[in-house]
Amino acid sequence: MEKIIKSKMKSCQIVIYLVGNASFRSKWQDAEMKLALRQNLPIFLIRIPKTTGPVPQPVNHLHAINWEPKLIISKIKEKTNSLN
């Protein structure tokens, strides 16, 4: 599984993860988050409206952004501009 994820994430500059009611149970997301952390990629957690599921364990130190397009865009721009 990790080989597949590595090949797919080679060209990624950021990782956006949608947090829902059961998304934390995904084995794929767990592997993706761990790889993103190892690669020091900026990770953005976005809370799906009307859900209350927990943030995935590998990134539970991060806070999910509310589903507000202007806020999401602002946070991504803020983080990616600081990387340049």
Side-chain angles (χ1 to χ4, degrees), residues 18-23 46-54 64-68:
L18 300 178
V19 179
N21 286 331
S23 51
I46 301 172
R47 168 70 59 194
I48 296 171
K50 300 179 184 175
T51 64
T52 58
I65 301 167
N66 289 331
W67 191 276
E68 297 173 34

Side-chain angles (χ1 to χ4, degrees), residues 6-31:
K6 276 185 182 179
S7 69
K8 301 254 185 215
M9 290 181 70
K10 277 184 184 176
S11 62
C12 290
Q13 295 178 348
I14 65 171
V15 174
I16 297 174
Y17 182 76
L18 300 178
V19 179
N21 286 331
S23 51
F24 70 96
R25 293 186 189 125
S26 169
K27 292 179 185 177
W28 283 97
Q29 74 72 27
D30 191 56

Side-chain angles (χ1 to χ4, degrees), residues 2-3 7 10 14 21 25 27-28 34 41 54 56 59 62 76 78 81 83-84:
E2 191 167 327
K3 258 186 177 177
S7 69
K10 277 184 184 176
I14 65 171
N21 286 331
R25 293 186 189 125
K27 292 179 185 177
W28 283 97
K34 288 177 181 176
L41 290 172
V59 291
L62 300 175
I76 291 173
E78 180 182 298
N81 286 340
L83 297 174
N84 296 328

